Amino acid sequence: MRDKTEIAVLVNGMRHVLGVTINDTLLDVLRDHLGLTGTKEGCAAGDCCACTVLLDGRPVNSCLVLAVEADGVQVTTIEGLAQEGKLDPLQEAFVQEGAVQCGFCTPGMLMSAKGLLRVNPKPSEAEVRKGIAGNLCRCTGYVRIVRAILRASDSTAVCQPVAREK
Amino acid sequence: MEKYLSFREYYAPATQQEALQLLLENGPAGRLLAGGTDLLVAMRDKGLGAERLISIKKISDFGGIGWMPDGGVRIGATTTLYEVEHSAAVKRAWPVLSQAAGAIGSVQIRNLGTIGGNVANASPAADTAPALLVLDAEMEIVSASGRKIVSADRFFTAPGKTVMERGEILAAIRVPPSATGARAAYVKFAPRQAMDIAVVGVAVALKLDGDGRCREARVALGAVGPTPMRARGAEAALVGEIDERSVETAAREASAEAKPISDVRASGSYRRHLVGVLIKRAVKLALAREHAAA
Ligand SMILES: Cc1cc2nc3c(=O)[nH]c(=O)nc-3n(C[C@H](O)[C@H](O)[C@H](O)COP(=O)(O)OP(=O)(O)OC[C@H]3O[C@@H](n4cnc5c(N)ncnc54)[C@H](O)[C@@H]3O)c2cc1C
Ligand code: FES
Ligand code: FES
């Protein structure tokens, strides 16, 4: 058994003090220590982005972050997206646009989209595509996902009539 | 997934002195860790052995983007690729570098990966390398015996190798002020638009005088040799009037200078052909770019 190091992380607004080994990744800690299995592991090598979470608001691959380096940071996972039982506008839009098929990529997609809209509340289609460029989806063909993200961004924009049927 | 990281010790020193000390004490077993997007993947997937990781992200002198007295900029080695891509200063005065940083991986990778890691890892295909070469960037390297400056031109020595020796750390990258009339662009060719390593990368920088003639040119190539490289024949061809003929000559020269290998991504002859094509695109893009001095 390896020595444990103590870290304090704020996950979805809740402070956790955890004993982790130096070899644990943030993804391991989220899934195995905290039971937050919404965040998926696809490749464990940075290639699929199924493991995307927000680290201090920015999307990162949680499979490439050492848990010890998450000490003192704020993490938002898919479980933290809905507020008080109410789905995030992005989640609503994914449902309405039919942007979910098998669902494996969905948590990562949503977190990438969340990270994008945080810095760019009204992205162009090209910007949406760039924002989710690393997120692989083997089911949908991406079109509905892009549409859903645009829909959510429009719906939070001021005085922007929703008129995006292509 | 049976992909465990097996290193035994982890350090996160707060100062440069401590980091250098740890490097010396740990010898070959010690390995610097920045964003981990190259290193952790290599340890997991390629069985790269590293016993002790020394994270340098807590060292404030290695981070951040700051102006230098001469109007150039100093980019700390642990500055993320995302920060380089979106830095207002970089975007305004050295857009080619913002563009190259933004061409790397995904936004997730750019939020973790650092510019120092990109160059220190010394992949021949590292996207920031051609941009740094055409900008005449300099590498600021620290060791127990002090600080030294090495031009980007002399930094890369072989695939995965740089002039840095054991006990040395890349502290920052310095980019000199962008001259009046300077225009530069980076063009990356890869089968996929994102998340793909360059098959060929070409950066071009041109210094134009008042009537549009080229006073000085820089051309750098990625992924077509053991290291990112300058293409000096192409540079010479671009000086003077820039027209179809001179660009054609530059493209031919650069293709001849490239030393590409054949691998799973592309054959050597295809890479050589691409170099010529991309030079023309890069010159066009560079000329179209509005200049904003630093
Ligand atoms: C999915 C994926 C896609 C990618 N796509 C691209 C791409 O399109 N283009 C591209 O160029 N790269 C790409 N990369 C590679 C990688 O993301 C970049 O090279 C990145 O900049 C590496 O930086 P890092 O901070 O993560 O380095 P690390 O992994 O932390 O370190 C890399 C190496 O450099 C050494 N090192 C790091 N910092 C220093 C320093 N300051 N001084 C001395 N040595 C140091 C480390 O010891 C290690 O050997 C990709 C990687 C992944 C996983
Ligand atoms: S599991 Fe992290 S990128 Fe695939
Ligand atoms: S919905 Fe199945 S992978 Fe995207």
Side-chain angles (χ1 to χ4, degrees), chain A residues 69-129:
Chain A
E69 302 205 332
D71 187 30
V73 305
Q74 284 195 39
V75 182
T76 311
T77 71
I78 186 68
E79 289 87 351
L81 219 46
Q83 294 295 321
E84 289 156 21
K86 198 172 165 303
L87 292 185
D88 186 270
L90 271 165
Q91 291 171 303
E92 282 290 356
F94 269 57
V95 173
Q96 282 158 5
E97 291 287 351
V100 181
Q101 288 189 27
C102 80
F104 192 83
C105 71
T106 311
M109 268 312 167
L110 282 165
M111 297 321 289
S112 300
K114 190 72 188 172
L116 173 71
L117 296 190
R118 221 188 109 255
V119 293
N120 185 359
K122 267 178 74 179
S124 65
E125 178 178 339
E127 287 166 339
V128 168
R129 288 188 181 274

Side-chain angles (χ1 to χ4, degrees), chain A residues 40-51 61 63:
Chain A
K40 304 301 179 201
E41 176 176 278
C43 64
D47 286 314
C48 74
C49 294
C51 65
N61 313 85
C63 70

Side-chain angles (χ1 to χ4, degrees), chain B residues 99 183-187 202-206 208 218-219 238 242-244 246-248 250-251 275-290:
Chain B
Q99 197 194 345
R183 287 149 203 255
Y186 177 63
V187 180
V202 171
V204 168
L206 306 167
L208 305 183
R218 292 277 183 281
V219 178
L238 288 172
I242 296 192
D243 54 21
E244 216 167 295
S246 68
V247 176
E248 196 64 56
V275 167
V277 174
L278 298 189
I279 295 266
K280 290 180 209 166
R281 281 190 205 162
V283 169
K284 213 181 247 175
L285 254 177
L287 288 175
R289 197 153 257 167
E290 284 285 323

Side-chain angles (χ1 to χ4, degrees), chain A residues 36-59:
Chain A
L36 296 172
T37 52
T39 306
K40 304 301 179 201
E41 176 176 278
C43 64
D47 286 314
C48 74
C49 294
C51 65
T52 302
V53 300
L54 302 185
L55 215 123
D56 289 333
R58 295 171 187 275

Side-chain angles (χ1 to χ4, degrees), chain B residues 150-206:
Chain B
V150 176
S151 69
D153 214 10
R154 295 184 30 239
F155 182 73
F156 303 101
T157 54
K161 295 239 155 30
T162 72
V163 293
M164 282 193 292
E165 289 165 16
R166 202 177 298 294
E168 293 185 326
I169 305 177
L170 179 66
I173 296 170
R174 299 179 180 182
V175 185
S178 92
T180 319
R183 287 149 203 255
Y186 177 63
V187 180
K188 169 180 183 173
F189 184 87
R192 296 168 59 208
Q193 279 183 24
M195 291 290 283
D196 213 350
I197 304 299
V199 168
V200 175
V202 171
V204 168
L206 306 167

